[in-house]
């Protein structure tokens, strides 16, 4: 009779976040929510930080029901005072902050000639200002604790590649790669690692909204958007899943050394190849 070792999954040792605390922004929904759930399953205490407190609380409650420690926070990542107040609440909890996933994001699509200046600034604020403000707060806590930690920035294939109609999103996602590389260099003496995940299209609310928007162009149906715009250049015509991205986040979160820092990992069914 064969005995299955529960610490071994798919031939690799299960990654553990036991005793760690992770804060995930934009985790009331989509990728952030799944990352928080997977981190909790791996043993972490998780902080669900999102603009939408009721949805964040529901997520934290569901995680708590599974036996993990969780806390919901209302946090607008573009607001310096709100970010500082949120991180101060985490500091007041037992255990130091070990992991940040800077994931909150929005998308606005329009041709460049029609992009209003105010609309241009919104994705830059959420992705770049939010990435900076949350990473700065996390770095300060990780330095103060002396434990170091892992900062994971949610990029996109659009950190490396461009698509029509997405000028501020593509610009912001490219910028986040630079931010993560600087943190990797400055954080290294403090055992702080910093990496970027670059997903392809994942069917979250952010993407579901884009499908009818892009199908407004004359002669393009919603299935054309999916097959010929979103998935055309993948190797198998498939969407990336929230689980694919959460497993990549778990790897970065659990990696114990600076061997894996300043890197970006594309998770996109081969849409973009480095
Ligand atoms: P989503 O819309 O499901 O979730 C985004 C979450 O961010 C929401 O809960 C929302 O309330 C929150 N949020 C938005 N603005 C915020 C703010 N100012 N402060 C705090 N929270 C805020 O979207 P998603 O697809 O899960 O996207 C998560 C991240 O993944 C984003 O950074 C996105 O750019 C990135 N991404 C998504 C895809 C995809 O195909 N879905 C692909 C590549 C990268």
């Amino acid at each position: 009779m064969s005995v299955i070792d529960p610490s071994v999954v798919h031939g690799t040792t299960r990654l553990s976040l036991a005793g760690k605390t992770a804060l995930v922004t934009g985790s009331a929904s989509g990728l952030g929510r799944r990352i928080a759930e997977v981190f909790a399953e791996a043993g972490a205490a998780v902080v669900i930080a999102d603009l939408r407190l009721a949805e964040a609380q529901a997520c934290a409650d569901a995680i708590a029901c599974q036996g993990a420690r969780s806390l919901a926070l209302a946090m607008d990542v573009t607001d310096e005072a709100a970010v500082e107040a949120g991180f101060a609440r985490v500091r007041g909890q037992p255990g130091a902050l070990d992991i940040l996933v800077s994931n909150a994001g929005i998308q606005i699509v329009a041709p460049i000639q029609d992009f209003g200046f105010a609309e241009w600034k919104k994705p830059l604020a959420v992705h770049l200002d939010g990435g900076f403000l949350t990473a700065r707060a996390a770095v300060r806590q990780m330095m103060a604790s002396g434990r170091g930690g892992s900062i994971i920035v949610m990029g996109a294939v659009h950190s490396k590649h461009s698509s029509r109609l997405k000028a501020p999103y593509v610009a912001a996602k490219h910028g986040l790669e630079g931010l993560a590389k600087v943190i990797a260099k400055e954080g290294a003496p403090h055992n702080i690692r910093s990496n970027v995940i670059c997903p392809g299209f994942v069917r979250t609310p952010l993407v579901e909204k884009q499908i009818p928007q892009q199908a407004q162009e004359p002669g393009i149906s919603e299935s054309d958007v999916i097959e010929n715009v979103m998935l055309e250049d993948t190797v198998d015509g498939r969407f990336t899943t929230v689980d694919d991205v959460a497993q990549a986040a778990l790897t970065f979160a659990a990696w114990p050394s600076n061997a894996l820092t300043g890197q970006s990992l594309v998770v996109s069914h081969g849409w973009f190849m480095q």
Side-chain angles (χ1 to χ4, degrees):
M1 189 174 73
S2 65
V3 178
I4 296 171
D5 178 349
S7 71
V8 175
V9 178
H10 301 309
T12 57
T13 302
R14 188 196 290 271
L15 296 169
S16 172
L17 298 180
K20 309 270 185 196
T21 298
L23 185 150
V24 186
T25 69
S27 47
S29 171
L31 289 167
R33 180 173 181 141
R34 188 63 194 136
I35 290 168
E37 290 168 351
V38 166
F39 282 11
E41 286 160 17
V46 289
V47 181
I48 310 297
D50 203 285
L51 264 185
R52 298 176 299 145
L53 181 58
E55 289 84 349
Q57 189 62 59
C59 177
D61 290 346
I63 286 172
C65 281
Q66 302 299 315
R69 265 198 317 125
S70 63
L71 170 72
L73 284 182
M75 184 190 288
D76 178 350
V77 298
T78 69
D79 178 340
E80 184 175 13
V83 171
E84 289 298 314
F87 277 79
R89 280 194 62 195
V90 177
R91 205 167 42 239
Q93 299 283 313
L97 182 70
D98 302 285
I99 302 152
L100 165 69
V101 185
S102 180
N103 163 79
I106 60 168
Q107 175 66 277
I108 300 177
V109 292
I112 190 122
Q113 67 273 20
D114 296 338
F115 243 111
F117 192 32
E119 296 300 290
W120 157 264
K121 287 182 187 172
K122 285 180 194 167
L124 296 186
V126 177
H127 296 278
L128 282 179
D129 295 351
F132 163 69
L133 289 171
T134 55
R136 184 182 67 176
V139 162
R140 285 174 176 166
Q141 286 198 19
M142 290 169 183
M143 284 182 178
S145 74
R147 283 169 56 160
S150 174
I151 293 181
I152 299 162
V153 176
M154 192 56 70
V157 163
H158 288 114
S159 300
K160 317 235 172 232
H161 184 72
S162 73
S163 292
R164 287 176 299 127
L165 309 179
K166 297 184 176 177
Y169 185 83
V170 171
K173 291 298 192 189
H174 274 67
L176 284 173
E177 287 233 324
L179 175 66
K181 288 177 186 171
V182 172
I183 297 169
K185 288 195 171 172
E186 295 186 10
H190 306 276
N191 199 25
I192 296 170
R193 298 170 297 289
S194 172
N195 292 289
V196 184
I197 302 175
C198 300
F201 282 103
V202 185
R203 290 198 86 155
T204 64
L206 181 138
V207 160
E208 295 294 349
K209 209 169 68 182
Q210 287 173 52
I211 296 170
Q213 281 173 343
Q214 295 199 22
Q216 280 168 12
E217 282 191 35
I220 299 189
S221 68
E222 293 197 7
S223 62
D224 288 334
V225 172
I226 293 173
E227 286 157 29
N228 303 329
V229 179
M230 294 182 165
L231 304 180
E232 186 188 16
D233 292 327
T234 61
V235 294
D236 54 8
R238 286 174 186 261
F239 279 98
T240 301
T241 67
V242 290
D243 274 300
D244 294 327
V245 178
Q247 291 302 324
L250 178 58
T251 303
F252 280 135
W255 200 267
S257 77
N258 285 336
L260 200 53
T261 194
Q263 304 304 307
S264 58
L265 180 62
V266 180
V267 185
S268 73
H269 283 254
W271 168 21
F272 180 84
M273 298 191 191
Q274 312 246 27

